[in-house]
Amino acid sequence: MSQESAAKQNPAVDEIYHPSPDIVAQANVPDPERLREEAARDIQAYWAKRAEELEWYAPWEKVLDDSNKPFYQWFTGGKTNIVLNALDRHVRTWRRNKLALIWESEKGDLRTLSYHALNREVCKFANVLKSMGVVKGDRVTIYMPRIPETVIAMLATAKIGAIHSVVYGGFSVEALHGRIEDSESKVIITADGGNMNGKKVELKKIVDEALQRSGAPEHVVVVRHLGLDVMMEQGRDYWYHELMSLPLTRNPMRCETEVMDAEDPLFILYTSGTTGKPKAILHTHGGYSVGVHATLKDVFDLKEEDRWWCTADPGWITGHSYIVYAPLLAGATSFMYEGAPTYPYPDRWWSMIEKYGITIFYSTPTAIRGLMRFGTSWPNRHDLSSLRLLGSVGEPINPEAWRWFHKNIGKEKCPIMDTWWQTETGAFMIAPMPAMPLKPGSGTKPLPGITAEVVNEEGKPVKDGDEGFLVLKNPWPAMMRTIFKDPDRYVQTYWSKFKDFYFVGDSARRDKDGYFWIIGRVDDVIKVSGYRLGTAELESAFITHHAVAEAAVIGLPHEVKGVAIHAYLILKAGHEPGEELAEDIRKHIAHEMGPIAKPEKIEFVKTLPKTRSGKIMRRVLKARAQGMSEGDISTLEE
Ligand code: WT7
């Protein structure tokens, strides 16, 4: 059964897993309800207290400035830089000798970086960026495989006050082109290529093709990772290793961290929305630092001796917040793996948990469902006893996958932290803490300082157990500040449907115990394997194929991916439907958008259901495909 319908028909509302006494005894937050109550009494005082866990160059004057709603500002007047807390303060202590990063390539190469070493590489690369003329506020696009240089590039950019825009390495030409162009990046950082599932992904080639379509950046820095033969344009393209090995007189190992206002931008990250081109979600140094730091400590109970593994990619918000920033802010040891979970065998992940003694493992429902299919013999070959906590993110986890994960990976002793949040929220919003009772498929309750509600069309709370729109009632420090270059769209998308509430875009229900159950998206966002794609961006990619006149794309339930893409295409005159053409279109989409955007099914049609104003009614396509009633189609005109 699909997770969507599973959540609808069978929420495991009465299936409760209580934490063991030792989990409660060692938890960073032993009494979650008390902390929630304390925060609710004075939300600003609560966040101020959490902000004091970090270092500041200068203290804030105001915790929250809400004088210009919904453009909330946090810790105004405060001076900081996320790198001050992620690196600078650690290298002053014994942690300089602690591992910040353990990395394994898909082929099995190992690299480790202590806090000292990571800081040195970041300083050197920050100086490289400066020498290329990058200054505070400039944008830098990072398009990389999952390698340590991705982390170095992000931190170096932040250190000098520039704004990074990481584009997921699984995206392709057109998706990359649009993001480079919109961000007006001065520099692009990429690699010759990356390993993925035994194949070489030629990233530099994709960059070259994207740049033929864009107003070009001034420079491209290329990390040599695979040793591929790549085109290097004189005066534009530079090898990372050559820049990094310049004499110290030209590229010193020290670099001052730029003092930033709490509200200065740290990064933009493109994500898909309901309409039009992807939007660049903007996050800032101060509030974001406070939010990701507090949530990782509370939810994953992070301890000095932990080895943390988040299986996401730095190209998505999960990677930004919980591979790169939060673990470093906490001074933790983070493990990162380059490749595919099933390469060369379906026990690759389990073998690395054993090999590196991972204690906390944070992954996705899609991955769990995918690995489940190979059976328990693969995890059973490995000693997974180092694990003490598990996590899930990106889409609702169906109870069946939850139980499998709990039993076969966590050996019934590791609580699963199902964290609900978004690119826009920056940090976990609805999530358990280890000392809480769990229900498979529920993210439990809003974290301390967060207030959520399920409401109807009028913005009124619905009865417990009823489905409605999920909203957030109060601002929070790690919230997005705006859409880069498009503040109107920020207001329109998130703060217009309900006055004073943040509109999430998910439907949900709350049960009698106050636990939240996410049902799915209510807009035209499709979550394929937990990856967020927009129908609008997909449809415009389809019509760049020479044979396609019109396209409509919907998401339908899928056993492993959660949701899969189905495309309905009208062909231009002179083109005949057929499997060969469908395959060619699939290839085209993979080339333009990336493999994750490949449709599960293509159907050639003569007409598409539309409203009188010409808007495609995806709801109707969805209902038809699932053999359901088409609901109110009075505005329909084919
Ligand atoms: C959307 C945000 C932020 C993490 C990566 C995704 C869905 C996310 C859960 C969860 C049910 C979830 C929602 C949300 N989602 N986590 N634990 N349970 N649904 O970030 O790409 O911005 O997508 O992912 O639909 O709105 P994103």
Side-chain angles (χ1 to χ4, degrees), residues 588-607:
H588 175 78
I589 292 296
H591 180 263
E592 292 296 309
M593 287 291 298
I596 50 165
K598 267 193 179 177
E600 187 73 15
K601 199 168 162 214
I602 290 181
E603 220 172 289
F604 296 107
V605 293
K606 292 259 177 300
T607 57

Side-chain angles (χ1 to χ4, degrees), residues 554 556 568 608-611 615-638:
I554 58 170
L556 289 178
Y568 298 82
L608 287 169
K610 286 183 186 165
T611 60
K615 228 181 126 224
I616 294 168
M617 298 184 80
R618 297 191 187 82
R619 177 168 63 78
V620 173
L621 288 172
K622 229 171 160 163
R624 276 185 198 161
Q626 295 181 293
M628 297 191 299
S629 123
E630 296 181 7
D632 177 17
I633 50 169
S634 56
T635 50
L636 175 73
E637 192 169 85
E638 291 223 23

Side-chain angles (χ1 to χ4, degrees), residues 60-117:
W60 55 89
E61 283 146 23
K62 230 176 161 176
V63 178
L64 170 66
D65 179 349
D66 58 2
S67 57
N68 184 23
K69 289 177 191 173
F71 297 93
Y72 296 96
Q73 301 206 316
W74 285 87
F75 309 111
T76 49
K79 300 279 181 197
T80 188
N81 183 313
I82 201 161
V83 174
L84 164 68
N85 284 292
L87 293 175
D88 301 355
R89 69 164 173 161
H90 301 315
V91 296
R92 282 188 240 121
T93 70
W94 64 271
R95 279 204 201 91
R96 64 202 297 277
N97 289 325
K98 183 175 175 178
L99 291 186
L101 201 60
I102 304 172
W103 174 81
E104 190 172 297
S105 78
E106 196 177 71
K107 291 196 304 223
D109 310 311
L110 166 69
R111 275 172 70 190
T112 55
L113 286 148
S114 64
Y115 273 89
H116 175 82

